[in-house]
Amino acid sequence: MFVDKVNIFVKAGDGGNGIVAYRREKYIPDGGPAGGDGGRGADVTFVVDEGLRTLMDFRYQRHFKAERGENGRPKNQHGRGGKEMIVRVPPGTTVIDEDTGKVLADLTEEGQTHVVVKGGRGGRGNSRFATPANPAPEHAENGQPGQEKNLTLELKVLADAGLVGFPSVGKSTLLSVVSAAKPKIADYHFTTLAPNLGVVETDDSRSFVMADLPGLIEGAHSGVGLGHQFLRHIERTRVIVHVIDMSGLEGRDPYEDYVTINEELKQYKMRLTERPQIVVANKMDIPESVENLAAFREQVGEDVQIFPISAVTKKGLRDLLHAIVDKIETTGEFPLYDEEEQEQRVLYKYEKQEAPFKITRDDDGAYIVEGADIEMAFKMTDFNRYDSVRRFSRKMRQMGIDDALREKGAENGDTVRILRYEFEFVE
Ligand SMILES: Nc1nc2c(ncn2[C@@H]2O[C@H](COP(=O)(O)OP(=O)(O)OP(=O)(O)O)[C@@H](O)[C@H]2O)c(=O)[nH]1
Ligand SMILES: [Mg+2]
């Protein structure tokens, strides 16, 4: 199981503003209020699309902003809502709130949808605030801001086949010629330090996911050369594709290599020896390989089938890929979550219950008021209108913010800040 992971930013649309307007009709001198409501801001919705296998597309687009609602119009006409934004994700995507660590959704089924951020409600127009006492209010709300979130998307991909072997035997080269993956290839050891995944398609249209794993060396089972970390990846593949450099040019003996790697797998966890294995003799384009292969065949015996290939000249690949798919199809799934993985997985971080607001002092003595509710009310207030300002003051009073300020020592004329704005405290 490998994890594909991306961080993205999503913002739902803001609600449109409500407006202040009055009826102006022939022969009706003083019409009542007629300011319409703003439209709803659009949501950002994820939908599962089975056609996707990776989170690759998110590497190119990381910001998703949905449309805002239209402002209200005169004659009590409401603004149009923003158009919903649909974002396609592959099955198996886990959506995590990056800031709180909380898992918001596990999206698994084709067509399953999840609203990740909600659009803001439209602000109400002035006709909605009319009362017998104030039949023509000079007040309308601004739209509610759309939610925004930083998200981490995680996708667990099961590799059907894993390429295993000493460093530099050609594992990455092999993956690069049978899939669209572009792993780094070089003639020094440990070129690959993290698994690369590729989707392989055979000529008879069967496909599977193949992982190019970091090279193993003797002692890997006891941690040598990051061995533990590397071996753990192998546990999550269904079929082991054991790649051997048949040229012996690096001064190693192919048969010894073969035995050493199998011994490392066994020492690490006995059950890895039960995993189906396909043996690949690579670098057959090098002349020395032919003789070495003959010797190798003798040593491993007739029970072990060997697939001679050259990743560079692409010889022998067709038979190899067919053998791998056949093996995958006849092999069941192995348990996917081992204990270690469970432990690593933080599902819910502790969430503090927040006080409705908080008051602190700034360096210059000003009082800073913070809190989601009051900040939301602030954003929805049109401070150019007297009625709206009065409503906002009332809200501050109702929430107990005035009292709390007084308690902290605020007096007439002191500066109070909310978000980036400031005003005077007035008794
Ligand atoms: N002649 C020849 N060279 C090959 C063949 N396959 C790979 N090589 C070369 O072997 C070297 C190592 O190849 P990689 O694919 O990076 O080997 P790796 O097994 O992924 O190595 P690590 O990531 O370090 O474990 C490179 O210089 C490749 O060009 C082959 O079939 N024939
Ligand atoms: Mg490699």
Side-chain angles (χ1 to χ4, degrees):
M1 191 82 90
F2 303 96
V3 179
D4 197 357
K5 195 167 162 178
V6 291
N7 292 325
I8 62 169
F9 172 77
V10 287
K11 165 130 184 31
D14 297 337
N17 297 335
I19 63 159
V20 171
Y22 299 95
R23 215 169 292 139
R24 302 251 179 273
E25 283 170 50
K26 266 184 186 169
Y27 315 120
I28 307 178
D30 273 323
D37 298 349
R40 245 185 72 82
D43 300 337
V44 176
T45 303
F46 283 2
V47 58
V48 177
D49 182 344
E50 271 181 352
L52 300 174
R53 290 185 135 255
T54 67
L55 298 171
M56 197 71 155
D57 295 347
F58 291 97
R59 302 205 189 283
Y60 308 108
Q61 192 185 354
R62 290 175 189 272
H63 280 71
F64 296 88
K65 277 178 86 171
E67 220 174 64
R68 65 178 306 243
E70 261 181 11
N71 292 343
R73 277 170 285 167
K75 297 185 187 168
N76 282 326
Q77 292 182 77
H78 292 182
R80 200 172 37 80
K83 205 168 125 256
E84 185 185 31
M85 178 170 222
I86 301 280
V87 178
R88 299 186 178 281
V89 298
T93 302
T94 304
V95 185
I96 299 157
D97 185 320
E98 200 186 323
D99 302 314
T100 65
K102 192 174 163 186
V103 174
L104 303 178
D106 262 318
L107 301 171
T108 51
E109 304 293 325
E110 166 77 2
Q112 188 182 349
T113 60
H114 179 75
V115 176
V116 282
V117 277
K118 281 213 170 64
R121 142 175 103 64
R124 287 171 292 179
N126 70 331
S127 51
R128 308 262 245 119
F129 294 98
T131 58
N134 185 4
E138 265 288 314
H139 165 67
E141 277 173 337
N142 284 341
Q144 183 186 37
Q147 289 181 324
E148 52 182 64
K149 277 179 190 159
N150 292 306
L151 299 177
T152 302
L153 306 185
E154 280 188 5
L155 177 71
K156 294 188 210 73
V157 185
L158 176 68
D160 303 302
L163 295 164
V164 172
F166 267 88
S168 295
V169 296
K171 301 180 294 296
S172 300
T173 309
L174 176 54
L175 182 73
S176 75
V177 296
V178 298
S179 76
K182 299 268 170 286
K184 189 170 170 207
I185 294 164
D187 59 2
Y188 54 84
H189 290 190
F190 295 115
T191 306
T192 305
L193 289 172
N196 299 294
L197 289 187
V199 179
V200 183
E201 198 174 306
T202 55
D203 57 2
D204 56 354
S205 297
R206 292 182 289 171
S207 69
F208 63 97
V209 176
M210 186 147 91
D212 158 33
L213 302 170
L216 295 176
I217 51 176
E218 190 162 2
H221 76 273
S222 57
V224 178
L226 295 180
H228 277 166
Q229 201 182 313
F230 297 171
L231 280 156
R232 201 159 66 223
H233 296 308
I234 301 170
E235 289 199 82
R236 295 166 200 152
T237 64
R238 290 208 273 181
V239 170
I240 291 173
V241 179
H242 189 157
V243 184
I244 297 155
D245 177 351
M246 211 39 71
S247 73
L249 289 188
E250 290 212 9
R252 284 197 311 256
D253 174 66
Y255 182 67
E256 270 174 33
D257 280 6
Y258 173 74
V259 173
T260 305
I261 293 293
N262 279 337
E263 189 58 26
E264 290 300 327
L265 296 179
K266 182 171 142 195
Q267 292 288 330
Y268 176 68
K269 265 177 198 165
M270 195 58 195
R271 57 183 150 100
L272 282 186
T273 56
E274 291 153 19
R275 194 108 352 148
Q277 193 177 105
I278 284 180
V279 179
V280 178
N282 190 29
K283 307 200 184 178
M284 289 310 296
D285 56 292
I286 295 175
E288 285 86 339
S289 298
V290 181
E291 209 173 303
N292 289 339
L293 177 63
F296 183 75
R297 271 194 210 286
E298 295 257 307
Q299 287 165 299
V300 295
E302 281 173 8
D303 293 346
V304 179
Q305 196 184 0
I306 302 161
F307 292 86
I309 66 159
S310 164
V312 163
T313 67
K314 304 185 183 175
K315 236 180 136 181
L317 297 183
R318 185 184 173 280
D319 287 352
L320 171 62
L321 297 185
H322 277 260
I324 296 173
V325 184
D326 290 346
K327 193 68 101 188
I328 290 167
E329 285 173 355
T330 54
T331 305
E333 301 256 347
F334 290 90
L336 299 183
Y337 296 92
D338 56 22
E339 316 78 56
E340 286 149 297
E341 195 170 355
Q342 296 258 325
E343 273 167 34
Q344 280 174 6
R345 190 93 196 274
V346 180
L347 279 182
Y348 290 93
K349 279 193 193 155
Y350 172 68
E351 266 184 297
K352 204 168 72 196
Q353 203 62 43
E354 296 214 5
F357 62 86
K358 191 174 90 186
I359 297 173
T360 50
R361 292 297 284 276
D362 218 339
D363 294 339
D364 60 358
Y367 293 85
I368 304 174
V369 180
E370 288 166 296
D373 281 4
I374 192 67
E375 285 170 12
M376 181 69 78
F378 182 88
K379 287 178 188 162
M380 292 179 73
T381 300
D382 177 355
F383 283 91
N384 296 315
R385 295 185 187 281
Y386 179 69
D387 279 7
S388 308
V389 174
R390 248 190 25 216
R391 272 173 176 274
F392 181 74
S393 315
R394 209 183 311 147
K395 172 103 182 160
M396 295 258 292
R397 213 163 41 241
Q398 281 166 351
M399 284 182 70
I401 295 176
D402 280 14
D403 286 344
L405 280 167
R406 247 177 242 115
E407 226 167 84
K408 291 247 176 193
E411 291 174 358
N412 226 1
D414 283 353
T415 304
V416 175
R417 289 202 181 107
I418 293 181
L419 295 168
R420 287 190 316 278
Y421 302 86
E422 52 185 49
F423 42 91
E424 278 183 15
F425 184 69
V426 186
E427 280 296 349

